[in-house]
């Protein structure tokens, strides 16, 4: 089965840039999607198909995907960006696959 | 308003069954497949599988066969998750989430989740 690997935690200073990675075998050949989940809330899609932002998601959120690593970048980090972030792909044999999640702390 | 409204929290005893509902509104129900995602306390997201809202055909992820059943009532745009022979380890929040049935591979709309607690 396909596996996605994320760091458990990432810290970023207020106003700086946070980068959250998602590793997988040749993940660059797949569409990667990212979700933000705040405590007690449902996940929210923030990036789909590597680098596309849904309506209502700030331009500060961007994504890239190449080789064995996909990256979610959050520019000018705000206190409100503190959350868990999950990457996700759709694997032809496994179906939906989520990474383990990364807790973002804004210092 | 485009939304998925899930049923309320459930407290069940081990061995019992539970049925969680997910009612869609604001869009054409059969244009999107319905997926189910589990999140155990303090843990990450786990995809359980999906049901084709056109055919009613369910697909279950590994680890979610046997006791888990996905079903539909298209007349009221509602998807259901039934879990039988409940165990303590089934305690979790269960989310429904839609995927474009044509070529979708991401979950663009989620329900707020249903907490199922299994305890004697």
């Amino acid at each position: 089965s396909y596996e996605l690997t994320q760091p458990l935690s990432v810290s970023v200073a207020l106003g700086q840039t946070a980068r959250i990675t998602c590793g997988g075998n040749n993940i660059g050949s797949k569409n990667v999607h990212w979700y933000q989940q705040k405590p007690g809330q449902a996940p929210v899609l923030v990036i789909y198909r590597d680098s596309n932002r849904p309506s209502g998601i700030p331009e500060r959120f961007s994504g890239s995907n190449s080789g064995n690593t996909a990256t979610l970048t959050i520019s000018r980090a705000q206190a409100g960006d503190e959350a868990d972030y999950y990457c996700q792909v759709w694997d032809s044999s496994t179906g939906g696959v989520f990474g383990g999640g990364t807790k973002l702390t804004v210092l | 308003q485009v939304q998925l409204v899930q049923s309320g929290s459930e407290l069940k005893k081990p061995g019992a069954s539970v049925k969680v509902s997910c009612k869609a509104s604001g869009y054409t129900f059969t244009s999107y497949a319905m997926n189910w995602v589990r999140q155990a306390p303090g843990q990450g997201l786990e995809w359980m599988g999906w049901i084709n809202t056109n055919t009613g055909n369910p697909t279950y992820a590994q680890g979610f066969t046997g006791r888990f059943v996905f079903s539909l009532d298209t007349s009221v745009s509602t998807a259901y998750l039934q879990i039988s022979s409940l165990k303590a380890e089934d305690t979790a929040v269960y989310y429904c989430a839609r995927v474009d049935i044509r070529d979708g591979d991401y979950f663009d709309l989620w329900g707020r989740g249903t907490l199922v607690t299994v305890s004697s």
Side-chain angles (χ1 to χ4, degrees):
Chain A
S1 62
Y2 194 78
E3 294 185 359
L4 297 174
T5 302
Q6 296 182 237
L8 283 176
S9 63
V10 167
S11 296
V12 61
L14 187 67
Q16 297 304 301
T17 298
R19 293 179 179 84
I20 299 172
T21 59
C22 176
N25 184 34
N26 196 26
I27 195 173
S29 67
K30 298 182 180 295
N31 289 326
V32 178
H33 321 292
W34 291 91
Y35 303 87
Q36 176 193 70
Q37 186 181 33
K38 296 182 178 179
Q41 298 184 19
V44 172
L45 179 71
V46 294
I47 292 289
Y48 65 97
R49 292 181 181 165
D50 298 343
S51 59
N52 297 279
R53 278 178 293 104
S55 173
I57 300 301
E59 292 183 8
R60 300 185 299 102
F61 288 81
S62 62
S64 62
N65 183 19
S66 179
N68 293 316
T69 304
T71 303
L72 172 68
T73 301
I74 305 171
S75 304
R76 302 182 299 283
Q78 301 177 359
D81 297 332
E82 279 207 346
D84 293 327
Y85 290 85
Y86 295 89
C87 58
Q88 177 252 319
V89 300
W90 198 275
D91 181 70
S92 56
S93 58
T94 309
V97 181
F98 288 99
T102 299
K103 181 178 180 61
L104 177 68
T105 300
V106 179
L107 304 171
Chain B
Q1 185 181 1
V2 179
Q3 60 182 350
L4 298 173
V5 179
Q6 296 189 227
S7 48
S9 299
E10 301 268 10
L11 174 60
K12 296 290 185 181
K13 294 188 184 303
S17 296
V18 68
K19 193 169 187 177
V20 175
S21 67
C22 171
K23 182 174 176 58
S25 62
Y27 71 91
T28 302
F29 184 64
T30 51
S31 292
Y32 292 83
M34 196 64 74
N35 291 253
W36 291 93
V37 177
R38 182 172 78 177
Q39 187 168 38
Q43 302 301 307
L45 304 173
E46 188 176 17
W47 182 73
M48 301 173 65
W50 66 284
I51 185 165
N52 186 315
T53 51
N54 283 308
T55 65
N57 183 48
T59 299
Y60 300 97
Q62 207 167 19
F64 293 100
T65 56
R67 298 188 299 116
F68 300 84
V69 176
F70 306 149
S71 61
L72 302 170
D73 185 344
T74 55
S75 68
V76 289
S77 299
T78 301
Y80 300 93
L81 163 66
Q82 184 162 359
I83 311 171
S84 58
S85 303
L86 283 163
K87 308 174 182 179
E89 51 264 42
D90 293 323
T91 294
V93 176
Y94 292 85
Y95 294 100
C96 58
R98 73 174 194 180
V99 170
D100 190 314
I101 206 164
R102 296 165 299 176
D103 62 354
D105 56 358
Y106 58 90
F107 312 105
D108 71 336
L109 181 68
W110 295 66
R112 297 181 70 173
T114 296
L115 173 62
V116 175
T117 303
V118 183
S119 175
S120 54

